[in-house]
Every structure is written in C-alpha cells, then in structure tokens.
Amino acid sequence: MTGRKILVIDDSKVIRVRVREMLPPGNFEVLEAKDGKEGLEFVQKEHPNLIMLDFLLPKLSGWDVFQRIQADETLRRIPLVLMSGRKEEVTEKISEPFQYFEFIEKPFEKNQLISAIKLAFQKANLPRPPLSTPGTPAPTPAPAPQAAPGGDATDIAAIKAQMDKMQAEITALKKQVLQLKTFIQKKLQ
C-alpha cells in the first residue's frame, strides 16, 4: 500500500517516464495524466501529495488547470511544480517570483527535479490570503492592443500571438526530441 501520491500531468510520455525514474525510491504511487482534463480529474478525485504540471497541454491547458487548482481552497495547498520548455510561457501568465509553487524548465536533471520538489513543499506551506482577496490566484496577462477602425491591429496581434505560440511549441518539441534521443542513448548503453 502506498502512502503518498505524486501526479505527473504531461502530454509527453517521455517526460512522465523520466520523472518517474528520477524520483527517489519511496513509499509513493506515481499517477500519470496525458492531458489537462484528465489531470484535473485526477487532482479532484485523488488529492495527490504533489502535482507536477506541464504548462502546454491538450484538451485543457496547464494554465487552466493551474487556475482551477488555485481557485479551490483545499487543492491550492497541494505542493505544485510547474514544468515548461520555456519559462516565458509561464511568466507571461504568472509574474515572478513564484511565491506558492515551484517552476522547473525542461529538460531537467534529477538533482534539479528533487530540488524543485523540496521547494514546492516549502512554498505550499506558506500562509496565503483568503480566496476572496483581489488578485488571487495570479495576475492576468496584459490586454491585447486595441483594434484600429479597420480591425488591422487586432488581426496583426492575433497572428503574432499565434506565431509566438507556435514558436513556443516548436521549441518545446525540439527539447522533447532531444530528451527522447538522450533517453534512448542511455537505454542503449
């Protein structure tokens, strides 16, 4: 019987397996979710002792999962490690310093993961303002530029946002391919 549950929410099986392998041996169960919707269901049903959450996820983004966790008085006390291939993806939505959760940039090594988990547990125990306080759980991103009468500024801003998102996804995929290559090379040795 396991005593603690660790939930890893990431659409990359490579990352989920890597996290599982990097965790020190212990009396815990590692739960895996491949998308944000499944991850949020696990969080609400299982109330894990630690959540490791990728920021870019299908079905329900990591940002949406984060907001829903932070909006629940019980769930927001669970230690949380946000993961992303680009820190900018996170800091666009949540300003630093990250007060109540820890962030780790992909790819990461075992010592970085262990350190992030320890910090997440420390930060989860910090006193927080009640949920009714304005500004909780996190600041919102800056508003998009206002449209010109013809709508050109809005169209350009939307295209730029899409390009930025696609570039972030490409960068994350490149890092995941590199991680997969490294993982396979280690297994072949």
Side-chain angles (χ1 to χ4, degrees):
M1 186 74 183
T2 55
R4 295 183 173 256
K5 294 177 185 174
I6 298 173
L7 175 59
V8 182
I9 307 171
D10 199 301
D11 56 326
S12 167
K13 182 154 183 77
V14 172
I15 297 293
R16 295 192 312 265
V17 168
R18 185 170 177 158
V19 168
R20 179 186 295 272
E21 291 175 349
M22 287 182 173
L23 292 170
N27 187 27
F28 53 80
E29 174 185 7
V30 179
L31 306 171
E32 297 180 19
K34 63 187 177 302
D35 59 59
K37 184 175 183 282
E38 182 180 51
L40 187 60
E41 289 169 1
F42 266 123
V43 169
Q44 293 168 336
K45 178 180 160 191
E46 299 289 338
H47 288 267
N49 301 93
L50 172 69
I51 301 168
M52 300 203 55
L53 174 63
D54 185 20
F55 211 65
L56 286 178
L57 291 169
K59 296 189 181 177
L60 189 64
S61 75
W63 167 242
D64 289 331
V65 173
F66 173 82
Q67 287 183 303
R68 291 182 188 187
I69 290 170
Q70 297 305 308
D72 183 297
E73 193 68 54
T74 305
L75 299 180
R76 72 185 190 142
R77 292 275 178 209
I78 300 171
L80 174 67
V81 177
L82 277 182
M83 305 179 292
S84 178
R86 281 190 26 191
K87 191 172 188 176
E88 301 83 41
E89 295 166 350
V90 177
T91 57
E92 285 173 3
K93 304 271 187 189
I94 310 165
S95 60
E96 290 188 86
F98 304 129
Q99 191 172 2
Y100 301 114
F101 67 92
E102 189 54 29
F103 171 81
I104 189 168
E105 189 166 8
K106 297 179 193 175
F108 47 82
E109 298 298 323
K110 181 177 182 174
N111 61 340
Q112 294 171 306
L113 175 67
I114 301 305
S115 176
I117 290 171
K118 288 178 182 176
L119 287 170
F121 273 93
Q122 291 172 5
K123 290 179 177 186
N125 290 322
L126 293 174
R128 296 186 187 208
L131 282 176
S132 58
T133 302
T136 302
T140 55
Q146 294 298 317
D152 292 339
T154 302
D155 293 342
I156 291 170
I159 291 170
K160 184 175 180 340
Q162 282 182 319
M163 287 175 46
D164 289 345
K165 183 178 178 184
M166 289 171 60
Q167 186 60 48
E169 291 173 358
I170 289 169
T171 302
L173 287 171
K174 285 180 181 178
K175 286 184 179 184
Q176 289 179 351
V177 167
L178 181 61
Q179 288 173 331
L180 181 58
K181 178 183 171 191
T182 304
F183 177 76
I184 291 171
Q185 286 174 338
K186 286 181 181 178
K187 291 295 181 184
L188 293 175
Q189 290 178 353

